[in-house]
Structures are given as C-alpha cells and as structure tokens.
Amino acid sequence: MNVLITGTSRGIGEAIALKFLQQGHCVTGIDREAASISDRHYTHVQTDIFSGDLPELPDTEILINNAGVQDSGMDIDINLKGTIRVTEKYALQEHIKSVLFIASASAQTGAEFPEYSASKGGMVAYMKNVALRIAKYGATSNSLSPGGVITSLNDHILSNPSLWKQVMDETLLPKWATVDEIAEWAYFVTVINKSMTAQDILIDNGEAAKSNFIW
C-alpha cells in the first residue's frame, strides 16, 4: 500500500516508517529535516507540514500523522494546524483506507506543557471528526496516545536517575514504551484493524491509572 508518514527523520516516525517498509509497503516521509532512511521503497520530502509546500500524492492509502514539536511556541501551529492541513490534503479521497494520529497521554490527562497538551487534545477531537468524514470510503480514523517513550527527546530523563525514579513511581508498570512497540501499534491499527474507528488508544504503562488507596 501507499503509506504517507509525517515526522520520519527520527524517533517514533522513523520506527513506524521502517515497520511498514519491512512489511513491503511503499512509504513517503515528510519531515523538515533530512532523510534518515535509505530504502528503494522510501521517498523523502523535506518540508514543513505547517508552512511548506506539500507534494501531490493522490493515491495515499494510509496516512500517519506523527510530526510534532514540544514546548516550542508553535505547538498549536505545527501539531494541530499542520496536522489538519496534511489530513485535509491527503485523507479525504476514495483511495484512503486508514488515518492514524500520534497524539499523547497528555491529551487525556493534561499533565504536560499547556500548548502541547492543548494541541494533542485538539488532535484527538479532530481524529473523531475525520472518522465521520472518511467512513463513506470504508476507512478508519484513530489515534495513539503514548505516555513516556524511549527516544532521544527524553534523554534528560533517561540519563538522570533521580528524574527517572520519579517518573517510574508514577506508573503501574515501571517502564516506558519503545519506538518499535509504538510502531507495532501503528501497524495494527492501520492495517490489521478493520472495525475500530474514532478511538484513542492510551499506551502509558498505567500512568493515568496510578492511584493509591488510603484507608
């Protein structure tokens, strides 16, 4: 299938792109940074999803909105408005089979930077709007909301034993997800899944569920 993924130069987006390539799909990546993937079935477009020129890809079958920033001063513009811009261009057509949004646990809990949480919460609401509009094509629209993920973006926590302990004390399962695990979720939701739509999946090792019973 023809798969379009935003934010493929590193982290979760790169892992998702590699997963689809391993499964024999043709992948186009959009990122404002240079390509990190070299594969004959991979095409890289270096542009900004909010303000750059977007390529013409009329046969997109799977769209995965992953590109985003955190506490940048442009979280609403890039994470939400940029994602809407990409989705409106590529998803609303007869070839589409699935749209996936990489949101955040903060979309449910609000426990992060204000504009980042708002941008991801808006993304989940928009995901449901997209589900309503692409149902006529027999297509699904869902989102994944990861909690902590082991990426270079989180090195300051991963390398600090004190911060790491504080984070682990907030989870039921004392660990974070890997990018490969999120990629497996992304593949399942967009390719294997045929019946779930308009749903947000929380992947946070039980952080939101953590509670202490005091008696």
Side-chain angles (χ1 to χ4, degrees):
M1 283 193 282
N2 297 317
V3 184
L4 174 59
I5 306 169
T6 64
T8 53
S9 67
R10 60 181 179 176
I12 292 173
E14 181 184 44
I16 294 173
L18 290 171
K19 172 66 180 179
F20 276 87
L21 289 167
Q22 290 164 4
Q23 297 299 315
H25 300 280
C26 295
V27 177
T28 297
I30 293 179
D31 199 298
R32 61 186 181 184
E33 296 182 11
S36 63
I37 297 171
S38 178
D39 187 286
R40 66 190 183 93
H41 294 299
Y42 178 76
T43 301
H44 191 77
V45 179
Q46 191 168 355
T47 190
D48 188 287
I49 63 169
F50 175 64
S51 59
D53 293 330
L54 298 176
E56 296 301 322
L57 301 168
D59 297 329
T60 298
E61 295 170 277
I62 294 175
L63 169 61
I64 299 178
N65 288 296
N66 168 76
V69 293
Q70 187 180 62
D71 198 29
S72 68
M74 292 193 67
D75 291 21
I76 299 291
D77 287 335
I78 295 174
N79 300 354
L80 184 54
K81 292 182 180 179
T83 291
I84 291 173
R85 181 176 181 238
V86 167
T87 305
E88 295 295 318
K89 182 173 180 66
Y90 299 114
L92 304 176
Q93 42 83 18
E94 62 183 359
H95 298 288
I96 198 69
K97 290 179 173 57
S98 185
V99 180
L100 180 66
F101 299 81
I102 305 301
S104 166
S106 64
Q108 295 193 22
T109 66
E112 211 162 323
F113 304 105
E115 287 194 7
Y116 181 79
S117 297
S119 71
K120 296 297 187 176
M123 181 185 289
V124 172
Y126 176 66
M127 171 272 290
K128 295 175 184 292
N129 175 270
V130 173
L132 291 169
R133 292 190 289 149
I134 65 174
K136 64 184 179 181
Y137 304 120
T140 63
S141 173
N142 295 287
S143 57
L144 300 179
S145 283
V149 180
I150 298 173
T151 69
S152 59
L153 183 67
N154 295 314
D155 279 345
H156 67 291
I157 293 176
L158 296 167
S159 62
N160 186 316
S162 176
L163 286 177
W164 181 247
K165 182 180 184 305
Q166 291 179 60
V167 171
M168 291 300 97
D169 286 345
E170 294 297 318
T171 64
L172 291 179
L173 304 176
K175 65 182 183 67
W176 274 0
T178 65
V179 293
D180 290 335
E181 181 182 357
I182 303 302
E184 292 287 345
W185 274 104
Y187 191 83
F188 175 82
V189 171
T190 56
V191 177
I192 308 301
N193 165 57
K194 299 290 191 268
S195 299
M196 180 182 69
T197 194
Q199 300 300 311
D200 180 54
I201 301 174
L202 182 63
I203 310 168
D204 71 343
N205 283 292
E207 184 176 348
K210 182 67 181 277
S211 62
N212 293 304
F213 177 58
I214 308 299
W215 186 255

